[in-house]
């Protein structure tokens, strides 16, 4: 039984990464980086528990990938994410690493564990080989160290050190601020932190994403309703009825959202925008689609193509197809050639044939965002 809990911090916004996909979600083969890194660290040592700090927008999606880890909602800062995770730590020691340090060698993990009883916090550091200036003054580079992760701390000491309003950028700084003891050990250039998009080539352990394709289907149906405007694909149609719905009822957009979520295994529209939630009452469905498109790219996908079939006895769709296609291309941030809009009647059969409402069937194809080729 291990007396060490591993926390892997994956809840950042990746704002400096300059790619469409967040760094923790780039694929290594078929694995998102956060899963690849966490499994890699898990393979180096048995931990009592593995906790993954997840961005709140991705927490439920992350849980789809494995039951082996405890997923905790991250905070607004790295330190707040650590505090959220520490609530679930019951072991004497806690090892905390940035998912951004994707290629940490096993030797660093072993050395941290070997030293765990020798200080409140064990920290891997690198020496500096360049000349160093502080503001404009040259300083002794032998006195400068670059701090890395993972860092191994006494859990109670770390909790005490982080019980402060001061935001630290790492655990050792916080522990030092309460006069805790720090043991610095040799770090590794392989533990480089992935921050900027152009640093990907500096992490040799990262293999390119697989070239698999992923498809998903979406189906939605809405009855007509008096005294409501009709929207399809974000376009207002001059029809006497709108759609009965909690939102603006854009049945075409809803079916496309479900097709996109289906293709990446992220559930369905109701899980993202519950129709019991007042904040979505009457909402413009274009805003929902824009949120889902951001999600799809954030978690590592690109949209290949969309095909959709509107099943409606009324209104006539053909006069608006071109405008609908342009609207969808703008909302999906795609070229029109990869979006197809079909329409058919129900030959006057059933509730659609009686012009009581409209149904839409959509299919979406995704592929992994290829960060190697960007
Ligand atoms: N609120 C936060 C902020 C950061 N992190 C994690 O802390 C590590 C180091 O942070 P950094 O490399 O700065 O990641 P981001 O905060 O995502 O990057 P940026 O500052 O560019 O947005 C990353 O693995 C990141 O996911 C976290 O779990 N919770
Ligand atoms: C914790 C850390 O990796 C130590 O070097 C670094 O402080 C994280 O900084 P970031 O800006 O949160 O990436």
């Amino acid at each position: 039984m291990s007396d060490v809990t591993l926390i892997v911090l994956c809840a950042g916004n990746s704002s400096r990464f300059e790619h469409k996909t967040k760094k923790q979600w780039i694929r290594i083969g078929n694995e998102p980086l956060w899963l690849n890194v966490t499994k890699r660290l898990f393979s180096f040592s048995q931990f009592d528990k593995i906790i993954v700090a997840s961005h709140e927008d991705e927490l439920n999606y992350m849980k789809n990938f494995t039951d082996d880890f405890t997923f905790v909602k991250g905070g607004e800062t790295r330190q707040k994410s650590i505090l959220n995770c520490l609530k679930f730590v019951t072991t004497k020691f806690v090892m905390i690493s940035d998912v951004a340090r994707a290629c940490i060698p096993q030797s660093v993990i072993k050395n941290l564990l070997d030293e765990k009883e020798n200080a409140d916090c064990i920290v891997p550091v690198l020496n500096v080989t360049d000349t160093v200036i502080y503001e404009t003054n040259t300083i002794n580079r032998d006195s400068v160290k670059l701090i890395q992760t993972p860092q191994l701390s006494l859990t109670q000491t770390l909790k005490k050190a982080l019980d402060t309003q001061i935001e630290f950028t790492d655990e050792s700084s916080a522990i030092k601020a309460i006069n805790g003891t720090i043991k610095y050990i040799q770090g590794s250039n392989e533990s480089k932190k992935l921050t900027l998009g152009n640093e990907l080539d500096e992490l040799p352990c990262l293999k390119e994403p697989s070239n698999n394709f992923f498809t998903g289907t979406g189906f939605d149906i809405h009855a007509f309703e008096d005294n409501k405007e009709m929207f399809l694909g974000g376009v207002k149609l001059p029809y006497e009825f709108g759609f009965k719905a909690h939102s603006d009822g854009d049945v075409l957009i809803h079916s496309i959202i479900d097709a996109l979520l289906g293709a990446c295994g992220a559930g369905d529209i109701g899980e993202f925008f519950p129709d019991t939630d007042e904040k979505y009452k009457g909402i413009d469905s274009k805003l929902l689609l824009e949120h889902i498109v951001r999600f799809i790219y954030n978690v590592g996908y690109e949209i290949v193509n969309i095909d959709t079939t509107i099943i409606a006895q009324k209104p006539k769709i053909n006069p608006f197809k071109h405008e609908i296609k342009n609207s969808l291309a703008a909302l999906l941030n795609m070229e029109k050639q990869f979006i197809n809009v079909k329409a058919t009647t129900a030959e006057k059969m059933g509730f659609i044939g009686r012009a009581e409402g409209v149904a839409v069937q959509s299919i979406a194809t995704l592929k992994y965002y290829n960060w190697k080729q960007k």
Side-chain angles (χ1 to χ4, degrees), residues 9-16 23 75-78 81 98-100:
L9 297 170
C10 312
N13 289 315
S14 199
S15 58
R16 292 171 286 178
K23 59 190 175 184
E76 289 172 6
T77 65
R78 183 181 182 280
S81 291
D98 304 332
V99 72

Side-chain angles (χ1 to χ4, degrees), residues 299-362:
V299 298
Y301 294 92
E302 286 184 302
I303 306 171
V304 176
N305 76 307
I306 299 273
D307 181 25
T308 188
T309 304
I310 303 166
I311 309 148
Q313 198 66 38
K314 290 181 180 177
K316 282 293 174 208
I317 301 298
N318 281 344
F320 305 97
K321 264 189 185 178
H322 181 74
E323 191 179 353
I324 288 172
K325 201 170 174 180
N326 285 340
S327 170
L328 290 174
L331 291 168
L332 291 158
N333 193 21
M334 290 173 69
E335 295 175 36
K336 281 198 309 181
Q337 62 176 320
F338 300 119
I339 299 170
N340 189 54
V341 178
K342 304 190 291 294
T344 180
T345 69
E347 298 298 330
K348 298 187 179 178
M349 294 182 292
F351 58 88
I352 292 178
R354 292 191 299 272
E356 294 172 16
V358 169
V360 181
Q361 169 74 46
S362 296

Side-chain angles (χ1 to χ4, degrees), residues 204-248:
C205 76
L206 301 187
K207 306 303 175 213
E208 66 183 322
S210 89
N211 54 15
N212 288 347
F213 288 92
F214 305 89
T215 55
T217 65
F219 182 82
D220 196 21
I221 194 162
H222 282 294
F224 291 143
E225 183 172 57
D226 255 333
N227 304 318
K228 201 169 175 185
E229 292 178 317
M230 177 179 284
F231 293 94
L232 272 179
V235 174
K236 188 162 78 173
L237 269 60
Y239 191 53
E240 57 188 307
F241 303 119
F243 289 115
K244 186 177 180 183
H246 185 63
S247 66
D248 64 2

Side-chain angles (χ1 to χ4, degrees), residues 70-90:
T70 301
F71 293 95
V72 174
K73 188 170 81 168
E76 289 172 6
T77 65
R78 183 181 182 280
Q79 183 162 306
K80 290 185 171 67
S81 291
I82 292 174
L83 281 167
N84 289 355
C85 293
L86 285 175
K87 295 170 189 167
F88 298 85
V89 177
T90 56

Side-chain angles (χ1 to χ4, degrees), residues 16 78 98 101 147-149 151 169-170 193:
R16 292 171 286 178
R78 183 181 182 280
D98 304 332
R101 295 185 191 272
I147 284 184
Q148 299 183 322
T149 72
Q151 299 180 19
T169 57
D170 83 308
K193 181 163 68 77

Side-chain angles (χ1 to χ4, degrees), residues 179-304:
N179 300 317
T181 55
I182 309 295
K183 168 90 174 177
Y184 297 107
I185 66 170
Q186 181 59 46
S188 168
N189 287 316
E190 293 176 65
S191 300
K192 176 174 176 55
K193 181 163 68 77
L194 175 63
T195 304
L196 308 175
N198 59 16
E199 293 173 325
L200 280 163
D201 295 337
E202 299 173 42
L203 288 91
C205 76
L206 301 187
K207 306 303 175 213
E208 66 183 322
S210 89
N211 54 15
N212 288 347
F213 288 92
F214 305 89
T215 55
T217 65
F219 182 82
D220 196 21
I221 194 162
H222 282 294
F224 291 143
E225 183 172 57
D226 255 333
N227 304 318
K228 201 169 175 185
E229 292 178 317
M230 177 179 284
F231 293 94
L232 272 179
V235 174
K236 188 162 78 173
L237 269 60
Y239 191 53
E240 57 188 307
F241 303 119
F243 289 115
K244 186 177 180 183
H246 185 63
S247 66
D248 64 2
D250 192 322
V251 59
L252 171 52
I253 283 185
H254 297 173
S255 77
I256 289 174
I257 286 175
D258 268 349
L260 291 169
L261 294 176
C264 65
D268 64 35
I269 188 171
E271 294 170 54
F272 278 76
F273 314 112
D275 60 9
T276 53
D277 188 333
E278 272 307 296
K279 74 179 171 189
Y280 300 122
K281 184 163 180 54
I283 195 166
D284 179 345
S285 294
K286 295 196 292 297
L287 300 176
L288 306 184
L289 183 54
E290 286 169 348
H291 179 95
I292 293 302
V293 171
R294 276 196 306 278
F295 173 82
I296 293 287
Y297 277 101
N298 278 345
V299 298
Y301 294 92
E302 286 184 302
I303 306 171
V304 176

